[in-house]
Each structure stands twice: as C-alpha cells, then as structure tokens.
Amino acid sequence: MDITIKDLEHRYQVHSPFERLALYDVNLMIKDGTYLAIIGHTGSGKSTILQHLNGLLKPTKGTLSIGTHEITAGKKQKNLKAVRRLVGIVFQFPEHQLFEETVEKDISFGPLNFGVSEDDAKVKAKEALLRVGLPLEILQKSPFELSGGQMRRVAIAGVLAMEPKVLVLDEPTAGLDPKGRKEIMDLFYQLHKDKQLTTILVTHSMEDAAKYADEIVVMNKGTIEMRGTPREVYRSTETLKKLGLDLPETIKLQLQIESKLDVKFDKVSLTVEEMVEQIKTVVRRDDTI
C-alpha cells in the first residue's frame, strides 16, 4: 500500500496570535513495503508528519493518500477509522498508554474498537503477545505488575493486534538501555519482513537509521532537506553537520581512519562488519603495492 504526500502544510493554532508553521511544501512518495527512517533535529517536523499519517492531525494545506484513502485539507474526513486501522502508531513510551485491568483486555481493546468479536480479539491478543516475545501466562495479569520492558512490549502488542499494514514508530526505543533498544528494533525489523509492512521510523539514532532503513528522509525547519539511501545520505557529511545532525559511529571512525592513513574506502561503512571488510581491503591493497 503506497503512501503519497503532496504539498503538505501544517499550522498549529491557526488564526490565533500563537499560529506557527510546523510543516510546509512536504512532498513524499513511500512505496509499499519500504522501511523509511525520518531524521532531523528537534523541531524539524518529524513527529508532526507522523501524526498526519492516521489523521491525528489534519493538513492545513495539501493531501495525503494512504492506499485508496485520501485526507485533504479543508475537506471533512469520513474514512479516518479505516485509515487508523491500516496505520498503527507506536509512540514514545507507549507503556504510558496502558489502562486496562489485564494484559489481555489491553491488547484486545483496539481490535474490539474496530468491530472484531470478543473471541477473535482474544485470539489476536494471544498472537500479538507471542509475537513480541512475551509468555501467554501474563494475559490475566495487570499490565502494571510487569517490568517496564514487558509493559512496553504489551503496548506494542496492542498496536500489532490491529494488524496494521503501515507501522509508524515515533522514537520507540526512548529510555531503553542499549540491549533493550537492540531487542525492540530487531523485533520491529523482523515484523517488517515477516508481515511485509511499510515501516516509518522517526529516530534520533543515526545507527538505527543506517542499520534498518531502506531510505532516509532528512527534515529541516519543517520541510524535507534530503532523501536517499542510507549510504547516499551519510555520504553528505558536511550537509548533515550544517543541519546539526551527528553521524553513525562507524562512519565517524571511517573518516578518522581515512584521514590518518591518507586512504579512501570504496563506500560508506554502515555497520561494523562493513568497516572490517573495508579495512581488510585497504590492507590487501597496500600489501600488493
């Protein structure tokens, strides 16, 4: 299911003294099955875009098409429930949205809200719980008796139980330690592949964008500054620095090695494994000279 954003603009508190332009001239085509990362400094418009994808915010100008559903500025939207079923959003600290008496009820809430029978909702809750790596034994427990990491997985299971076609992730690893962050990001990536989802990730982690995304969009002051594959985007080191964005640690190390040894690697290293292979290539090349 393709997503098309045309001439999107969003203003907060329109016609008030506090009116503020948050997005303008945003044009973006996201092909079905793409894993897209959106990066940018705080206030660049990343999260504002995400909230348009399932109608939490309405455009003040422009159009969003999600499959056959269209959200257009100035028009009354009649299909938002269908859009929200297609697009699942995992916000920062999703565990703060838990509210039901039991894990099963919390995960079942979304499917029930979309008209699924109680029996089917319970089946979906079990499937989603297993998918996020939690045991069925906790279904009848209060979510507030669980650890912080388990609570976050239960909240994610609640989104997955609605079986979205598009999974939107707004800084989903906020507050997690490195081990927890890797586990959650690997979980989302596996879901992306297994379910053939379109995944849209907003992140401050340059490493996560490099490792998981097919494409990266760079936001700056409310509009798109750059778009390309991770290798294309991270090759533009000076532009990223001017925008106040950091580089993945592997690329920082690559630049240091290239400068110190006066060599040039064949490509930008997005992972440690790629870095090791390129160092081996440089060493072999020098040995033959």
Side-chain angles (χ1 to χ4, degrees), residues 261 263 280-289:
L261 300 182
V263 297
K280 288 179 180 177
T281 299
V282 168
V283 170
R284 289 192 206 103
R285 188 187 304 153
D286 287 349
D287 285 345
T288 61
I289 295 175

Side-chain angles (χ1 to χ4, degrees), residues 124-278:
K124 291 180 185 296
K126 290 177 181 177
E127 292 173 348
L129 194 66
L130 292 173
R131 209 175 292 145
V132 299
L134 293 177
L136 296 180
E137 288 75 30
I138 70 169
L139 276 170
Q140 300 309 318
K141 284 189 175 183
S142 165
F144 305 106
E145 295 176 4
L146 305 177
S147 70
Q150 288 175 320
M151 289 173 69
R152 181 163 300 193
R153 287 176 183 254
V154 167
I156 292 168
V159 175
L160 299 180
M162 293 184 283
E163 299 180 331
K165 301 298 182 187
V166 179
L167 189 59
V168 176
L169 311 171
D170 189 3
E171 297 283 1
T173 61
L176 297 179
D177 60 25
K179 180 175 181 290
R181 189 179 80 189
K182 182 180 184 304
E183 288 176 350
I184 290 294
M185 289 306 301
D186 285 347
L187 166 67
F188 286 132
Y189 189 63
Q190 197 61 49
L191 284 164
H192 170 77
K193 292 193 298 182
D194 292 347
K195 298 292 181 180
Q196 298 180 315
L197 300 174
T198 300
T199 302
I200 302 169
L201 167 71
V202 158
T203 183
H204 281 100
S205 170
M206 300 299 103
E207 280 76 18
D208 287 347
K211 181 177 179 180
Y212 299 103
D214 304 314
E215 294 183 80
I216 295 176
V217 163
V218 182
M219 296 292 296
N220 181 43
K221 297 180 180 178
T223 196
I224 295 174
E225 184 79 23
M226 194 189 320
R227 179 182 184 177
T229 66
R231 224 176 289 282
E232 290 167 343
V233 168
Y234 289 133
R235 193 182 294 130
S236 304
T237 54
E238 291 304 314
T239 301
L240 293 174
K241 286 177 184 176
K242 286 177 184 176
L243 296 175
L245 296 176
D246 207 353
L247 292 169
E249 292 301 321
T250 54
I251 297 176
K252 286 183 186 177
L253 179 58
Q254 174 175 330
L255 293 173
Q256 291 172 4
I257 292 172
E258 288 178 336
S259 175
K260 193 162 187 177
L261 300 182
D262 192 25
V263 297
K264 192 69 177 174
F265 287 3
D266 294 331
K267 60 183 180 181
V268 172
S269 300
L270 298 179
T271 64
V272 172
E273 291 77 16
E274 285 186 2
M275 171 72 70
V276 170
E277 287 305 312
Q278 294 209 80

Side-chain angles (χ1 to χ4, degrees), residues 113-126:
N113 193 43
F114 285 117
V116 173
S117 71
E118 186 173 348
D119 287 344
D120 286 346
K122 287 181 178 180
V123 171
K124 291 180 185 296
K126 290 177 181 177

